[in-house]
């Protein structure tokens, strides 16, 4: 079942939250809505879920226009950031809730609950109450509950944001594996670009209620189309045309035609090669040792650039280095 | 091309409509009737004569002045003493805090006039002190009224100020101490700024209540007549409803102003830090503890003593002459038997049941309404706190004793229950709303996306969080209805007696021992209700896993 969002618009008390947003999610695809706070991603998810009504536009699931359908009839599984488990029901009762609402036979409910809890790694913990479970375990229960009715789509609203970093990584992998195994199309909202890069088949990068760019993680990282995407997904050095003309003239030929200020060159930190050279043009300003890599700030022709070197760097503060760029892409400023 | 989805929440509308209708019929309607009566003459034509007549009798402006003075004086006393008591509970190392809390419960278990009754029995011209020591004590008048009102208002002030004190994070005191601030300095710089709006809110509340208090004024006011007593006189004595209504409106004005100011103060109150952190442990400070302890003793001994006196009087043969102990007053000595007590309990139960359902429906219905609907509704729902009980009671008489519903409502327990309910509607509504606000939004959405309707939301998402609030609201309404006097004084009939009114009547006629017996019945019923509420809340907390 694939999902199509058509020109959705939404405003809260005069303030535009979503401005003509369109994209589609294919069968089995894991889509991440990525963006900073206030970009409209959660509102969009809620519109897909049916919890909020759009002012304009359509939501189409398969070949059905579900725009006017209320949330409870959409058959979508939703996992929230926190506090969505019923506090005085056990984990198993929570998972079985949607099925009880549909009046499925109790035997089937019990069987499916244990099956699902097993699947999310909580086998045997069905009798515990939410306040007896850790944050990560609670989210697993929420996930199991969302999957209980074999939904057409899975919607995740920043499910990992409230968890400890250590748990986050683990749960991230598990969610992705589960999604692949079940083949459910999934939309996840997050502001963490690392999460998006790690989990998504397609990233929809949003800002101020609009989609800046949609594509695979590699697409967005290697070929960002705007300054916003370049800076939001990964780190970037953004160099104006005049600077490129002076320092890296080789990149000019690939610059799209347009006025001086329309485009900037985006250099990823790992694509800037530096080498110790007493006659080099740049000077190392700072070097941060991060174990497997080093982040080095250099001053070059009046600009500061961020460089990443893997392995253990031997460059020191104040050293002169020669600079070259391996790859760069022009983005809209 | 988009589709604008209009979600008509039928359940939500129904939930709102019924309580609103009841508010309209049983609160706004009587209130409007009083207002109308004050500006019309016997034939229904508009006239300002009633207000002009206020100045004909010199006693009336004087009574208004008296009301103001006693209101201000009581407020001053309760707020300062209340602050000391709250500090004693939360900022001292005094032992026996449970005793302080227990003593503060007493005034809430009885009608205000019971405190006055106890004072009279203790310090009146024929009181216990006079009988035992021969001292010429006379407690009637301004001072007696002041003491009675202060004792009655203290518990509320302590509750409000305590809440503010508890909310102050310990780290503010730690920071001040680390910068060299003495305990007194810490009090001025850390404590006072955080409690000042609580003090203001409490002050306005006590002022409103004292201004409109009727029971104490009747029992112990003596020649110090206040407006509330004048209203009663006009309505019951002179049968001059127009005059009563006019005086009621006069009383309404400062009450409305006061409640509005209290709300402003409460809004500006610090809502507490998001992470209160470690709770505050007071440092050792003998002088502070001794002072606070002394004040607590000086305040609470009279409180306990007064109630104990009433208990004593109720088991005495013929007060104050023959003080042999006997249970005769409880067994057959009561003029109407236990009828009034039973009626009061029945009426209070009715008010509490109807009240909790209506208030729950109202709060639930308001959850998803846009603010242009929610704000006016909340205003109307909270308005009763500004309306004196006497005014509301008078409104009920004017509105329901004649007209199409009168045959059915007049003289019924239901109408008395309705009056009690709507008199205390504001606080009940506030309690319920606070409980409902704790429901996480995500839970609502979880029910919706799991396939639940609005009713499922109420049952599975709202109820677990609202249950404690519902229990508190039920017992609050029950206890208030048991002890209310001013609201119902105009609604009792020869067939329909209430315990609080009976206490007043017996006191008026000098049968103090029997009055005390009825009073103790009310105290007992209220105490049992309080105990039941605490037990239920405790059991609920244990069984449920709601934080």
């Amino acid at each position: 079942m694939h999902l199509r969002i058509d020109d959705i618009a939404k405003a809260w008390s005069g303030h535009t939250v979503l401005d003509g947003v369109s994209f589609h999610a294919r069968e089995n695809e894991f889509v991440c809505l990525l963006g900073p706070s206030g970009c409209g991603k959660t509102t969009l998810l809620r519109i897909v879920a049916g919890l909020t009504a759009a002012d304009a536009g359509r939501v189409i699931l398969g070949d059905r226009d579900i725009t006017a359908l209320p949330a409870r009839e959409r058959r979508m599984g939703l996992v929230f950031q926190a506090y969505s488990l019923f506090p005085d029901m056990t984990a198993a009762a929570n998972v079985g809730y949607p099925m009880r609402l549909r009046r499925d036979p109790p035997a089937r409910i019990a069987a499916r609950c244990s099956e699902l809890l097993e699947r999310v790694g909580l086998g045997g913990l069905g009798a515990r109450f939410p306040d007896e479970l850790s944050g990560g375990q609670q989210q697993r229960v929420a996930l199991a509950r969302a999957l209980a009715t074999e939904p057409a789509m899975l919607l995740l609203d920043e499910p990992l944001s409230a968890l400890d970093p250590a748990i986050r990584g683990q749960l991230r992998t598990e969610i992705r594996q589960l999604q692949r195994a079940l083949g459910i199309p999934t939309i996840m909202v997050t502001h963490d670009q690392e999460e998006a890069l790690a989990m998504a088949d397609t990233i929809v990068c949003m800002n101020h209620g609009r989609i800046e760019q949609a594509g695979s993680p590699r697409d967005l990282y290697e070929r960002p189309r705007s300054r916003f995407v370049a800076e939001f997904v990964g780190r970037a050095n953004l160099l104006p045309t005049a600077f490129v003309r002076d320092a890296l003239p080789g990149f000019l030929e690939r610059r799209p035609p347009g006025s001086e200020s329309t485009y900037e060159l985006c250099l990823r930190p790992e694509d800037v090669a530096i080498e110790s050279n007493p006659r080099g043009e740049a000077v190392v300003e700072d070097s941060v040792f991060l174990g497997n890599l080093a982040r080095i700030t250099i001053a070059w022709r009046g600009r500061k650039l961020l460089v990443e070197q893997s392995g253990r760097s031997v460059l020191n503060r104040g050293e002169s280095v020669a600079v070259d760029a391996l790859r760069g892409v022009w983005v809209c400023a | 091309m988009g589709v604008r989805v209009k979600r008509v929440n039928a359940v939500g509308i129904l939930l709102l409509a019924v309580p609103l209708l009841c508010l309209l019929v049983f609160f706004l309607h009587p209130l409007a009737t009083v207002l109308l009566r004050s500006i019309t003459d016997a034939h229904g034509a508009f006239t300002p004569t009633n207000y002009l007549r206020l100045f004909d009798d010199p006693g009336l402006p004087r009574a208004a002045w008296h009301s103001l003075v006693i209101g201000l004086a009581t407020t001053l006393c309760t707020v300062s003493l209340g602050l000391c008591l709250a500090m004693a509970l939360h900022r001292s190392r005094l032992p026996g805090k449970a005793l302080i809390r227990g003593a503060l419960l007493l005034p809430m278990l009885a009608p205000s006039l019971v405190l006055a009754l106890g004072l009279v029995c203790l310090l009146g011209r024929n009181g216990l002190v006079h009988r035992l020591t021969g001292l010429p004590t006379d407690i009637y008048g301004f001072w007696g009224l002041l003491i009675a009102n202060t004792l009655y208002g203290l518990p509320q002030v302590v509750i409000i100020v305590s809440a503010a004190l508890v909310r102050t994070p310990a780290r503010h005191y730690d920071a001040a101490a680390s910068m060299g601030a003495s305990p007194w300095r810490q009090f001025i710089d850390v404590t006072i700024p955080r409690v000042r709006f609580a003090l203001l809110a409490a002050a306005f509340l006590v002022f409103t209540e004292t201004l409109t208090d009727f029971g104490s004024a009747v029992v112990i006011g003596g020649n110090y007549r206040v407006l509330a007593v004048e209203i009663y006189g006009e309505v019951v004595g002179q049968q001059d409803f127009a005059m009563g209504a006019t005086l009621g409106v006069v009383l309404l004005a400062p009450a409305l102003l006061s409640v509005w100011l209290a709300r402003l103060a409460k809004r500006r109150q610090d809502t507490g830090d998001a992470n209160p952190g470690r709770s505050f442990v007071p440092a050792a400070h003998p002088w502070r503890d001794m002072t606070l302890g002394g004040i607590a003793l000086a305040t609470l001994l009279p409180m306990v003593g007064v109630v104990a006196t009433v208990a004593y009087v109720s088991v005495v043969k013929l007060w104050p002459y023959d003080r042999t102990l006997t249970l005769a007053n409880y067994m057959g000595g009561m003029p109407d038997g236990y009828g009034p007590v039973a009626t009061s309990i029945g009426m209070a139960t009715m008010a509490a049941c109807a009240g909790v359902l209506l208030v729950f429906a109202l709060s639930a219905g308001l959850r998803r309404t846009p603010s242009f609907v929610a704000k006016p509704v909340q205003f109307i729902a909270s308005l009763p706190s500004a309306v004196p009980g006497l005014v509301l009671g008078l409104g009920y008489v004017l509105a329901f004793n004649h007209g199409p519903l009168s045959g059915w409502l007049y003289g019924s327990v239901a109408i008395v229950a309705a009056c009690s309910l709507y008199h205390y509607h504001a606080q009940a509504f506030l309690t319920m709303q606070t409980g409902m606000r704790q429901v996480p939004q995500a839970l609502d959405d979880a029910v919706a996306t799991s396939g639940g309707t609005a009713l499922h939301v109420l049952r599975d998402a709202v109820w677990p969080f609202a249950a404690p609030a519902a229990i508190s609201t039920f017992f609050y309404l029950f206890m208030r209805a048991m002890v209310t006097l001013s609201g119902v004084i105009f609604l009792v009939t020869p067939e329909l007696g209430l315990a609080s009114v009976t206490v007043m009547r017996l006191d008026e006629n000098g049968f103090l021992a029997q009055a005390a017996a009825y009073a103790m019945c009310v105290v007992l019923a209220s105490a049992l209700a309080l105990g039941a509420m605490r037990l239920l809340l405790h059991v609920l907390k244990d069984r449920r896993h709601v934080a």
Side-chain angles (χ1 to χ4, degrees):
Chain A
M1 187 102 40
H2 75 264
L3 178 83
R4 204 170 95 230
I5 310 284
D6 240 357
D7 214 18
I8 295 275
K10 178 76 185 172
W12 286 119
S13 32
H15 172 65
T16 308
V17 176
L18 289 171
D19 192 6
V21 170
S22 309
F23 74 90
H24 66 272
R26 283 180 290 275
E27 289 249 22
N28 306 346
E29 204 177 2
F30 194 113
V31 177
C32 260
L33 299 180
L34 176 67
S37 306
C39 70
K41 55 194 193 295
T42 299
T43 309
L44 187 59
L45 194 79
R46 290 178 67 86
I47 288 176
V48 173
L51 295 169
T52 305
D55 292 341
R58 295 185 304 162
V59 179
I60 298 162
L61 186 64
D63 49 12
R64 241 175 110 206
D65 186 337
I66 61 170
T67 319
L69 213 58
R72 67 176 188 274
E73 292 174 36
R74 289 198 188 192
R75 270 195 64 224
M76 294 192 179
L78 195 43
V79 178
F80 302 85
Q81 194 172 1
Y83 304 120
S84 68
L85 296 182
F86 300 107
D88 53 347
M89 291 187 203
T90 60
N94 262 284
V95 175
Y97 182 72
M99 291 185 273
R100 284 202 302 280
L101 283 180
R102 288 196 326 190
R103 302 182 199 255
D104 285 351
R108 176 169 146 66
I109 296 180
R112 183 127 175 86
C113 282
S114 16
E115 177 203 329
L116 281 166
L117 284 171
E118 199 67 58
R119 236 200 155 123
V120 296
L122 290 179
L125 293 179
R128 295 236 188 129
F129 285 91
D131 64 348
E132 295 165 343
L133 298 169
S134 71
Q137 288 171 326
Q138 285 179 26
Q139 287 300 71
R140 287 169 210 260
V141 176
L143 191 59
R145 183 177 68 187
L147 294 168
T149 48
E150 284 163 354
M153 280 204 83
L154 196 57
L155 304 173
L156 308 169
D157 187 0
E158 304 208 45
L160 307 175
S161 299
L163 301 175
D164 285 338
I167 313 285
R168 231 181 269 172
Q170 190 187 347
L171 208 51
R172 187 195 291 174
T173 322
E174 288 181 27
I175 291 179
R176 190 55 169 119
Q177 284 171 347
L178 195 60
Q179 188 269 342
R180 270 206 200 99
L182 294 173
I184 290 187
T186 303
I187 301 182
M188 183 169 102
V189 163
T190 180
H191 61 265
D192 185 334
Q193 48 108 355
E194 197 183 302
E195 231 167 66
L197 287 172
M199 297 173 84
D201 292 322
T202 305
I203 298 181
V204 175
C205 192
M206 293 178 68
N207 193 24
H208 293 317
R210 290 208 188 88
I211 295 184
E212 289 266 343
Q213 190 174 346
S216 72
R218 261 203 116 92
D219 262 346
L220 261 66
Y221 190 78
E222 290 179 354
R223 283 171 293 278
R225 271 188 242 132
S226 65
R227 165 182 263 264
F228 174 79
V229 176
E231 284 185 317
F232 201 83
V233 184
R235 289 158 197 264
N237 293 299
L238 290 159
L239 309 171
T241 313
F243 183 89
V244 175
R245 191 172 292 127
D246 280 337
L248 299 162
F251 283 97
L252 268 182
E253 58 191 30
R254 268 179 280 150
R255 185 183 187 284
S259 73
E260 192 76 355
S261 53
T262 321
Y263 293 100
E264 289 178 324
L265 185 69
C266 166
L267 291 178
R268 295 294 183 191
E270 67 274 12
D271 289 336
V272 181
I274 55 178
E275 218 177 30
S276 185
N277 186 334
R279 279 170 300 135
E281 290 185 313
V283 172
V284 172
E285 278 209 344
D286 195 12
S287 175
V288 179
F289 172 66
L290 290 172
N292 57 327
L293 54 81
R295 282 214 186 103
I296 303 165
T297 314
I298 59 172
W300 187 33
R301 296 182 185 236
R303 284 198 88 85
K304 289 208 214 302
L305 262 70
L306 183 68
V307 181
E308 252 178 38
Q309 278 192 341
S310 64
R312 270 149 265 190
S313 172
V314 291
L315 294 171
N316 298 308
R317 204 172 293 166
E319 245 180 276
S320 294
V321 289
V323 186
D324 194 15
L326 305 171
R327 260 186 301 261
V329 61
W330 288 95
V331 303
C332 288
Chain B
M1 224 238 325
V3 173
R4 189 158 191 151
V5 180
K6 258 214 142 105
R7 301 280 161 87
V8 178
N9 190 356
V11 172
I13 291 179
L14 204 71
L15 283 177
L16 267 185
V18 174
L20 271 182
L21 194 66
C22 290
L23 265 171
L24 194 73
V25 173
F26 292 107
F27 174 64
L28 289 177
H29 167 49
L31 190 61
T33 314
V34 172
L35 289 170
L36 205 65
R37 197 71 187 83
S38 73
I39 54 174
T40 56
D41 64 16
H43 309 288
F46 287 107
T47 165
T49 333
N50 296 323
Y51 287 93
L52 295 173
R53 275 204 291 148
L54 282 176
F55 298 96
D56 286 347
D57 179 355
L60 293 177
R62 189 167 56 220
W65 174 249
H66 283 172
S67 289
L68 203 66
V69 170
I70 194 77
L72 287 171
T74 308
T75 307
L76 222 69
C77 290
T78 36
V79 170
S80 34
L81 288 173
L83 178 62
C84 294
L85 282 172
M87 293 291 290
L89 281 175
H90 297 285
R91 292 286 184 272
S92 78
R93 288 206 185 178
L94 281 172
K97 287 184 184 171
L99 289 172
I100 298 181
R101 291 205 173 94
L104 282 170
L105 279 177
L106 290 174
M108 299 199 282
L109 300 177
S112 58
L113 70 112
V114 169
L115 292 174
L117 185 65
L119 265 178
V120 165
C121 293
L122 198 57
L123 292 169
R125 280 185 228 112
N126 247 337
L128 196 62
V129 170
H130 172 74
R131 293 255 133 196
L132 290 177
T133 64
L135 286 171
T137 56
D138 184 356
I139 197 71
Y140 291 98
F142 176 80
W143 292 105
L145 194 53
L146 179 63
I147 298 176
N149 282 332
T150 303
L151 289 178
Y152 191 64
L154 264 177
Q156 288 181 77
V157 177
V158 175
I159 289 176
I160 295 176
V161 178
S162 289
L165 282 177
V166 164
R167 271 199 300 263
T168 311
R171 57 176 177 269
H172 288 214
Y173 292 100
D174 292 342
S178 71
M179 288 186 259
S182 69
W184 178 251
R185 221 37 268 162
Q186 289 179 34
F187 173 70
I188 299 290
D189 295 329
V190 180
T191 308
I192 290 290
R194 292 192 78 109
V195 303
R196 85 187 139 190
F197 288 114
L199 286 172
L200 262 175
F204 288 121
L205 248 48
V206 170
F207 180 74
T208 309
E209 207 173 86
T210 309
L211 199 69
T212 60
D213 172 76
F214 168 68
S216 304
V218 151
V219 170
I220 205 172
N223 290 327
Y224 195 82
R225 289 176 77 82
V226 295
L227 218 51
V229 175
E230 294 295 343
I231 297 177
Y232 179 72
E234 293 289 344
V235 173
V236 170
Q238 316 263 41
Q239 296 282 307
D240 191 343
F241 290 98
M243 209 48 189
T246 314
L247 286 171
V249 174
V250 172
L251 205 55
L252 190 60
L256 271 170
L257 182 68
S258 194
V259 163
W260 178 65
L261 288 170
R263 200 155 297 158
L264 282 182
K266 259 216 156 105
R267 227 179 280 155
R268 288 197 59 190
Q269 220 177 353
D270 207 332
T271 40
D273 291 21
N275 179 18
R278 160 177 96 74
S279 56
F280 181 68
V281 173
H285 195 328
W287 270 114
R288 172 200 66 200
D289 286 357
M290 282 207 298
T291 319
L292 287 177
I295 294 177
L297 219 59
T299 319
L300 297 175
L301 270 181
M303 201 179 274
V304 176
V306 162
V307 179
T309 307
V310 175
Y312 174 58
V313 170
S314 73
V315 292
V316 140
K317 201 157 169 201
L318 186 67
W319 179 269
Y321 307 107
D322 185 352
R323 292 200 299 281
T324 40
L325 293 177
T326 165
L327 281 178
N329 294 319
Y330 288 101
M331 314 218 256
M334 296 163 130
D336 300 321
Y338 282 96
V341 179
T343 315
S344 281
I345 292 178
M347 183 273 285
T349 309
M350 210 184 280
C353 286
V356 91
L357 287 171
L358 288 169
V359 166
F360 182 85
L362 192 61
S363 302
L366 279 175
R367 290 185 79 229
R368 298 300 191 91
T369 43
S371 68
F372 73 89
V373 171
K375 283 234 173 347
V377 173
Q378 280 167 343
F379 173 74
I380 296 175
S382 314
L383 199 54
S385 60
V387 178
L390 282 172
V391 175
L392 193 64
L394 182 59
Y396 268 62
V397 170
L398 293 174
F400 298 121
N401 283 0
H402 316 282
L405 294 169
S406 70
W408 177 53
L409 287 172
Y410 178 65
S412 69
V413 182
I415 202 66
V416 182
C419 189
S420 300
L421 162 58
Y422 283 100
H423 188 197
Y424 294 106
H425 187 268
Q427 180 64 36
F429 176 65
L430 184 67
T431 307
M432 186 64 81
Q433 268 220 311
T434 311
M436 289 239 175
R437 288 219 174 101
Q438 293 176 359
V439 183
Q441 171 75 33
L443 217 56
D444 267 50
D445 295 337
V447 175
T449 50
S450 298
T453 61
L455 286 175
H456 288 121
V457 173
L458 279 181
R459 185 196 68 180
D460 298 321
V462 173
W463 177 247
F465 288 87
I471 291 176
S472 300
T473 305
F474 178 86
F475 284 103
Y476 168 76
L477 285 172
F478 178 86
M479 285 168 65
R480 292 284 98 201
M482 276 302 300
V483 308
T484 186
L485 179 67
S486 56
V488 301
I489 190 74
F490 297 138
L491 296 174
V492 294
T493 67
E495 297 83 30
L496 186 78
L498 291 170
S500 49
V501 178
T502 312
V503 173
M504 187 186 111
R505 292 270 153 75
L506 288 170
D507 168 78
E508 270 180 335
N509 294 322
F511 297 114
L512 294 182
Q514 285 95 326
Y518 274 106
M520 290 315 292
C521 288
V522 173
V523 171
L524 188 66
S526 302
L528 285 174
L530 187 66
M533 177 181 85
R534 292 251 169 112
L535 190 69
L536 266 176
L537 285 175
H538 182 76
V539 164
L540 204 70
K541 205 163 180 198
D542 265 354
R543 267 190 38 199
R544 299 202 132 154
H545 297 256
V546 178

